[in-house]
Amino acid sequence: MGSFYLSTPIYYASGEPHLGHAYTTILADVLARYHRRAGDDVLFLTGTDDHGQKIQEVAEEQGLTPLELCDRMAERFQAAWDDLGISNDRFIRTTEPEHKAVVGALLERLYDNGFIYESEYVGWYSVGQERYFTEKEIGPDRVDPIAGGPVTKIREKNYFFKMSLFQDRLIEQIEKNPEWIVPATRRNEVLGFLNQPLEDLSISRPRSRIHWGIPIPWDPDQVTYVWVDALTNYVTASGAIDPEATKDRRGFGDPLPSRWPCDVHLMGKDIITTHAVYWPTLLMGANLALPRKILAHGWWVVGDTKMSKSLGNVVDPLALRDRFGTDAVRWYLMREMVTGQDASYTPERFLTRYDELRNIFGNLAHRTLSMIKRYRAGTVPAAPSGGLAVETAAAVAAYRRALDGYRLHEGFAAAMDLARAANGFVETQEPWALAREPEGADELDRTLATLARTLVVLACLFEPVMPARAAELGRRLGLANIPLFEELDGMDVSGRAVRVGTPLFPRVDLG
Ligand code: MSP
């Protein structure tokens, strides 16, 4: 039991929520639910990144003020997360007054610490990535090296953060803490980036060019660079900087009770540099602790179009929710992607993963509940468990090891293996044969009690990834709540009235 603070990136309010955003947010949701089940006091943060040139431009195109656009998009993101069963504790927006005050306070702190200076910037700016690139990075074609979008040459006054001063400290942090940036491929990528001299970071833009941002406290003709603004959201939500106390620059010396540092920042690999280089050095400059972990996951790539034939034109797994349900899509995304690596979405793999749910977990639940109804009038018999103890303990341990190590796919595979073992147990026990013999009654009681107990364990293990289906199974087992991990040991389900209901994962007609 402890506390656990985790974050997703805050998504640009300039575009609609899509699968990429959804994956990171579901990943965070699964971890948040897992930690709640482990008894932790969880703070799960997500939100929108409301400032910057791109938003200013998109709003203009749509004939809206930037804030109108952001309000609209924040609602869209919140609705999308409701639909996907996301249990965030806080939805932050960088246009909130508290956040603006914290950004100002953080900048003043860096300024007071002597890490900010004014200079002229000459470079290539990509609005798509909201960052500058070097001549070398944009290459002869002069395009942004990440998405291939346009870049513009800019010469202007900016404030700079002396990021270069922190290069050695950052390298040391990464080398001494091999698990700080995961997976290892991303860690090596960041170390590779740090092989070259680290440049100072431009942290402001002239207001004449970009008006949609947070003014620099000591120079309102400049607005804060959107990445500095955005990254600071993690501190705002933690309460580490009290904007009231910092107005007159008091309160810096006495840390307030807060949730900082964050236990894990989750993100896609596209934004590892900002999180693993800009952010930690800014925190160092402001004398704030570093986040405990930075996890960058891979990309979803869409499998070859030929394969989508079997499911019509469906190429986005989120669209499958209508037919298969939200939990099945969450299951697919978490079970299929090796956490950290790229994965290819194909309808065939989706169906394989759905069949696994239906034929193994769904089938176990249905046959267990049906047999309790048929042989014991719908009441879980009062009998000691008689089997599966070793398998259950091993599955729970493997699951917890895997989730603690951010290998979610492995944890859910272990849970599914337990369901598989329980189906095997049904086959060897042959409850239907026991039911025919009067002397089989005790063994039948033990068998059904064991299976009911295994279902409770499975509801607990699957809840983080399939919250709605797990809750439904819990209700059918007569439970008011799905137990926490610590409540599983020695849990007694005897005497509970169960309900069979329709299959948890019905057959889906693909016709
Ligand atoms: N606003 C910045 C983040 C600021 S955080 C302080 C931003 N926003 S974004 O809207 O572009 O979202 C980027 C994030 O969306 C990625 O880091 C990743 O989490 C997710 N994804 C976007 N496309 C994706 C895929 N195709 N696959 C997996 N995740 C991807 O960057």
Side-chain angles (χ1 to χ4, degrees):
M1 292 249 268
S3 88
F4 197 80
Y5 172 23
L6 77 169
S7 68
T8 72
I10 48 172
Y11 305 110
Y12 286 128
S14 49
E16 295 286 336
H18 59 65
L19 171 65
H21 305 133
Y23 176 76
T24 315
T25 311
I26 294 171
L27 178 68
D29 187 61
V30 170
L31 290 167
R33 289 175 185 273
Y34 166 67
H35 278 276
R36 290 190 195 111
R37 205 139 293 287
D40 287 344
D41 174 17
V42 171
L43 173 59
F44 167 15
L45 171 72
T46 189
T48 50
D49 188 350
D50 286 354
H51 291 125
Q53 191 171 351
K54 188 152 68 183
I55 285 152
Q56 184 178 313
E57 286 178 6
V58 172
E60 259 163 48
E61 278 163 28
Q62 300 188 7
L64 298 170
T65 66
L67 189 59
E68 281 168 351
L69 172 69
C70 294
D71 287 348
R72 192 174 286 189
M73 293 316 296
E75 267 177 36
R76 288 260 240 286
F77 274 95
Q78 271 164 314
W81 300 158
D82 280 350
D83 276 1
L84 286 170
I86 304 301
S87 64
N88 55 297
D89 301 292
R90 170 95 153 87
F91 189 98
I92 196 169
R93 294 185 51 193
T94 52
T95 37
E96 289 171 15
E98 183 192 353
H99 174 71
K100 294 193 219 173
V102 169
V103 169
L106 187 88
L107 288 171
E108 296 219 339
R109 193 164 180 174
L110 292 169
Y111 191 89
D112 290 349
N113 287 350
F115 298 132
I116 296 211
Y117 64 95
E118 183 189 318
S119 185
E120 180 173 78
Y121 194 92
V122 188
W124 296 89
Y125 196 73
S126 155
V127 178
Q129 307 301 323
E130 292 282 21
R131 54 170 287 199
Y132 290 111
F133 289 102
T134 61
E135 197 87 34
K136 200 172 133 205
E137 285 173 306
I138 62 172
D141 297 338
R142 296 195 167 152
V143 290
D144 101 48
I146 295 178
V151 290
T152 342
K153 185 151 195 182
I154 278 176
R155 171 189 293 270
E156 64 189 20
K157 170 182 143 177
N158 285 180
Y159 286 99
F160 286 81
F161 164 59
K162 293 184 184 171
M163 191 158 72
S164 54
L165 289 181
F166 298 93
Q167 176 157 16
D168 292 344
R169 238 177 101 185
L170 182 58
I171 294 174
E172 193 185 320
Q173 160 71 19
I174 300 173
E175 283 178 343
K176 283 206 174 140
N177 302 281
E179 295 292 308
W180 188 52
I181 302 174
V182 286
T185 44
R186 301 278 104 77
R187 175 175 177 263
N188 294 335
E189 205 176 290
V190 176
L191 281 174
F193 178 84
L194 290 168
N195 258 336
Q196 293 149 32
L198 191 57
E199 289 178 10
D200 288 344
L201 180 69
S202 156
I203 55 140
S204 75
R205 306 286 179 260
R207 207 185 187 131
S208 54
R209 183 163 69 82
I210 299 164
H211 62 81
W212 187 235
I214 301 175
I216 297 285
W218 60 88
D219 183 351
D221 287 341
Q222 294 269 320
V223 301
T224 308
Y225 170 40
V226 66
W227 268 104
V228 173
D229 168 349
L231 289 161
T232 304
N233 93 86
Y234 303 134
V235 164
T236 306
S238 78
I241 293 183
D242 177 353
E244 289 306 315
T246 53
K247 265 192 190 136
D248 56 1
R249 306 209 192 157
R250 277 185 287 111
F252 275 152
D254 7 279
L256 294 150
S258 85
R259 303 293 296 240
W260 195 255
C262 193
D263 288 281
V264 61
H265 290 317
L266 301 166
M267 74 210 68
K269 62 183 181 177
D270 51 328
I271 53 176
I272 182 76
T273 311
T274 48
H275 281 82
V277 180
Y278 298 4
W279 184 226
T281 54
L282 285 163
L283 289 167
M284 288 173 186
N287 304 327
L288 285 165
L290 301 184
R292 296 208 171 91
K293 191 177 283 295
I294 297 170
L295 187 148
H297 63 72
W299 291 112
W300 277 99
V301 291
V302 174
D304 104 50
T305 36
K306 193 179 78 208
M307 291 182 161
S308 70
K309 263 210 312 213
S310 61
L311 277 179
N313 292 327
V314 175
V315 288
D316 182 348
L318 294 182
L320 299 172
R321 274 183 302 148
D322 293 345
R323 277 194 282 180
F324 294 86
T326 296
D327 280 6
V329 173
R330 289 172 57 116
W331 166 256
Y332 169 75
L333 294 175
M334 294 299 119
R335 178 65 192 86
E336 184 71 359
M337 186 178 256
V338 173
T339 321
Q341 294 177 18
D342 286 352
S344 166
Y345 163 66
T346 72
E348 280 72 12
R349 291 298 300 162
F350 184 92
L351 286 182
T352 306
R353 290 296 180 203
Y354 186 75
D355 283 346
E356 183 179 35
L357 279 184
R358 203 169 73 82
N359 297 335
I360 300 168
F361 177 40
N363 179 35
L364 176 71
H366 200 72
R367 71 206 300 206
T368 299
L369 296 171
S370 303
M371 289 190 294
I372 294 172
K373 183 173 173 217
R374 186 174 325 135
Y375 303 134
R376 292 295 179 263
T379 301
V380 180
S385 282
L388 290 176
V390 173
E391 291 84 346
T392 303
V396 173
Y399 172 98
R400 297 203 61 180
R401 255 197 322 274
L403 269 82
D404 287 336
Y406 297 92
R407 297 181 309 277
L408 282 71
H409 58 290
E410 213 180 285
F412 296 125
M416 194 55 86
D417 283 345
L418 176 60
R420 209 172 264 118
N423 277 320
F425 179 72
V426 174
E427 302 305 323
T428 45
Q429 291 296 103
E430 299 189 318
W432 44 89
L434 295 172
R436 283 195 297 264
E437 321 285 335
E439 61 276 23
D442 285 352
E443 186 65 9
L444 182 57
D445 281 351
R446 271 195 297 275
T447 302
L448 296 177
T450 300
L451 290 169
R453 189 172 180 279
T454 308
L455 282 185
V456 176
V457 173
L458 287 169
C460 176
L461 300 184
F462 282 132
E463 189 276 341
V465 62
M466 296 181 285
R469 298 288 77 197
E472 175 59 23
L473 177 59
R475 280 190 295 275
R476 290 181 190 184
L477 286 160
L479 299 172
N481 294 301
I482 294 174
L484 303 182
F485 289 116
E486 61 173 18
E487 294 164 341
L488 284 179
D489 272 343
M491 209 192 45
D492 186 10
V493 287
S494 63
R496 293 192 179 278
V498 308
R499 197 162 49 76
V500 181
T502 53
L504 286 177
F505 303 98
R507 181 185 293 281
V508 175
D509 180 13
L510 296 171

